[in-house]
Every structure is written in C-alpha cells, then in structure tokens.
Amino acid sequence: MKSRIAAAAGLAAAVALTGACGSGAPKEAERAAARAPAPAPPPKADPAKVKANELGLVPVLMYHQIIDKPTTVYDRTPADFRAELERLAREGYVPVTAGEYATGRIDIPAGKHPVVLTFDDSTTSQFALRADGQVEPKTAVGILMDVARRNPGFRPKATMFVNGNPFNLGARGLQWLHKNGFEVGNHTLTHANLATASAAGVQKEIAANQKQIQDALPGTQVTTLALPFGIKPRPERLAQQGTSAAGSYSHKGVFLVGSNPAVSPHSSSYDPANIPRIRSQGKKGPEANFGSFVWLTRLSKTPENLYTSDGDPKRISYPKTSTEQLAGPYRGLGNAY
C-alpha cells in the first residue's frame, strides 16, 4: 500500500515538474481559459444621465474641393477642413456613413453625436494615393485619417459620392476606400443634370455608375445617391429605384444639397428620398448663415436638439416629451425616459 502511495506521489511530482518545464501547465491554462465564461458586456448607460436623444438632429456635411486657393463657395482650404474636423471631435461628434445614417444603423458611444461627412465629385483633392500606396496626406482623406489618429474615438469614416473614373484611380481607389472603412456612394456617371434627362437617361446615368462601383467592389451594395447640383429627376422616384441595361438600383437614402441639419432616421418626419445636407463653409461669405460654421454653432448652443446616442444600437432612447416623434417601425425599440 505504502509503495503504491509513494509511486503515486512520485508520478504527481513528475507531472508537476513537467508542467513547470513548460509543456503541461500552459496547455492546462489554455484549456481553463477556453472553459472560462466570456467577459460580461459593459453596463448600458443611463439615457437620462447622458441626455440621450436619438430623435434629435444630425448634421450631414457636404464637401467638394479641398484646395489651397478656393475658387467657389463650395471649396475649403486644407487648414479650414482640418479645423472643422477638430471642432467636430472636440464637440463630441463621431462620423458615421451616409448608408449607416439612412438605414438607422447608428452605433456610437453613449453621449456622442453622429455626423455624416460626404464628398461629391471624386476629385484628387479629396483622395489620392502616392507611388508607395499610401494616402496623400494633404488630401481630405489624408487629413481625416490624421485627425482621427490624434483624436481617439473620432472615426475616419466618410461617404465618397463618385462619378466616372473616380479620383483618376478607377477601381484601385475604390478598393482602397472600401477596405479602409469608407462608403462609396453614387453621384451618377457624368455628373448629369437629372432634371433635363429622359427617364431612360436618368436610369442609365445611375445604373451605369453603380455598375462601375460594383465591378470594382464585387458583392458590395450601393445604397446611397447624392443628386448632382441637388436637382431631382422627373419623376422623382427614379432617384430611389430604377432599371437600365447596366442593371437595377435601389437606394436607401437620396441626399440633396440642402442647407440645414437632417432629422433622425428614427423620426416620423424622416424622408429617405429628401435628406438635406449642410455645405461646409466658414462664418463669413455668401449664404454663410446656411453653412457648417453657423449651424454647428447653433447646435452647440442647443445640445438638447442634437441626436445624442444612448450607446445601445438595439434601443432608441429619447425624452418622454418626444415620444410622438418616433416613427412607427421603431416603436418596439423605443425607450422613453
């Protein structure tokens, strides 16, 4: 009996020694880790404490050329663009794509506000790649990525509404953007005035550009359209859906030029066929009262009107006084406080 006990003790010591030498213990530790329960998700934020209002306003900002010497009211200098992004980061905004906004898939931290950054015309001042494949730092995308690096939580996300031969890079540019979290939206093949085109011409312009995008990004759905010049086709429904020889298209959101913030996609007044945008502009100049500097200042003074996230994408939180504004399809997710 004593010999069996001694043998067992010796075997246990040998096993312990083997584990100490690095073979058994790590494997057992790995098995234990695999059996351990997953860490609990962080507790949901108190909507009242973060003053959540997911029925509030969302600024959808519109950019064109980012150049040293602006020639139109639609242009911004790189310094102005950087300053606007840094302001957004300071004031608690988090970028989401046009598609995420249009479909109500806004997943940002509690207490933060969504902002949609949109770029029309796919110019080289917005995005360019150097010979080594890196982003040209002076472009809009380069500046956005740098601001995001310097401001953790401010995502380098935007929607690029492109035309034919986007950024003079073709498929290569679209693939880089998609891989790095940017959305590619439709802006028609030739930047056409859709009001002067026939119904067949409208559908051809949109469908042909969609085909260009989807050929570059197989399996990707193009869900958003920005109207060139902000002008609607006739009939207007062709901006949302249509069919041509190049294929069929269906957009979840159609973006205008506009001059004011957009309503929450969860609001009963939300219209996916008419989403307004705010032109990026300083505090001076023609129509500055409708530009981004003035609007962001107004919203900063009335934060209760802003879309403020509760941090939980599976519920929609808002003050009880706003209950009637919640759109019918979202009633099951409503969380009034």
Side-chain angles (χ1 to χ4, degrees):
M1 181 66 175
K2 290 182 179 179
S3 62
R4 285 200 297 268
I5 293 173
L11 178 60
V15 170
L17 181 60
T18 302
C21 291
S23 59
K27 290 181 180 179
E28 180 56 35
E30 290 174 6
R31 286 193 288 268
R35 292 193 298 270
K44 295 179 181 179
D46 179 352
K49 185 173 291 187
V50 299
K51 299 181 179 179
N53 180 15
E54 296 181 319
L55 295 177
L57 298 174
V58 179
V60 181
L61 303 184
M62 178 181 68
Y63 299 94
H64 285 76
Q65 293 273 47
I66 305 299
I67 52 179
D68 290 328
K69 296 181 179 180
T71 58
T72 76
V73 72
Y74 291 97
D75 302 335
R76 299 305 308 268
T77 67
D80 287 339
F81 178 61
R82 180 181 290 275
E84 184 155 90
L85 295 181
E86 290 174 343
R87 175 183 184 173
L88 291 170
R90 283 196 310 273
E91 295 184 1
Y93 287 95
V94 176
V96 300
T97 67
E100 289 170 338
Y101 162 79
T103 56
R105 299 194 311 273
I106 299 175
D107 186 2
I108 61 176
K112 298 295 186 178
H113 318 295
V115 61
V116 186
L117 309 176
T118 67
F119 296 83
D120 290 7
D121 305 345
S122 54
T123 64
T124 55
S125 73
Q126 296 170 2
F127 174 58
L129 292 175
R130 301 186 311 197
D132 62 0
Q134 298 300 306
V135 177
E136 172 53 55
K138 294 183 179 180
T139 62
V141 170
I143 294 169
L144 172 56
M145 295 184 73
D146 184 58
V147 171
R149 280 191 294 268
R150 297 169 185 269
N151 295 272
F154 189 77
R155 303 171 180 167
K157 274 194 172 190
T159 296
M160 318 303 287
F161 287 116
V162 306
N163 303 117
N165 189 23
F167 315 106
N168 291 336
L169 290 170
R172 176 172 170 245
L174 300 186
Q175 290 161 0
W176 188 99
L177 290 166
H178 180 70
K179 180 180 178 181
N180 287 276
F182 290 79
E183 178 189 17
V184 179
N186 201 322
H187 199 42
T188 75
L189 190 66
T190 68
H191 202 277
N193 181 339
L194 297 181
T196 62
S198 66
V202 169
Q203 293 172 92
K204 180 179 179 181
E205 275 284 337
I206 298 173
N209 199 41
Q210 174 182 269
K211 184 177 186 303
Q212 169 189 248
I213 297 168
Q214 292 181 328
D215 284 349
L217 306 173
T220 300
Q221 297 298 312
V222 181
T223 62
T224 55
L225 168 77
L227 295 168
F229 313 107
I231 298 175
K232 301 176 184 179
R234 298 172 185 164
E236 292 182 10
R237 60 179 171 76
L238 293 180
Q240 287 185 286
Q241 291 186 321
T243 301
S244 183
S248 298
Y249 58 87
S250 179
H251 298 127
K252 301 296 185 183
V254 176
F255 291 76
L256 311 175
V257 169
S259 57
N260 54 275
V263 300
S264 164
H266 312 307
S267 170
S268 57
S269 59
Y270 171 65
D271 181 0
N274 293 279
I275 301 172
R277 293 188 288 171
I278 302 168
R279 179 176 64 234
S280 178
Q281 186 174 349
K283 59 183 177 181
K284 297 181 180 180
E287 300 181 348
N289 284 339
F290 302 105
S292 58
F293 181 91
V294 172
W295 265 116
L296 291 174
T297 300
R298 290 173 183 166
L299 293 171
S300 70
K301 294 178 179 178
T302 56
E304 66 277 8
N305 294 331
L306 268 174
Y307 185 118
T308 302
S309 174
D310 68 357
D312 183 355
K314 295 182 179 180
R315 69 182 181 185
I316 300 169
S317 297
Y318 46 86
K320 289 182 179 178
T321 53
S322 300
T323 297
E324 292 184 0
Q325 297 177 28
L326 184 64
Y330 293 104
R331 293 290 180 185
L333 301 177
N335 180 46
Y337 66 91

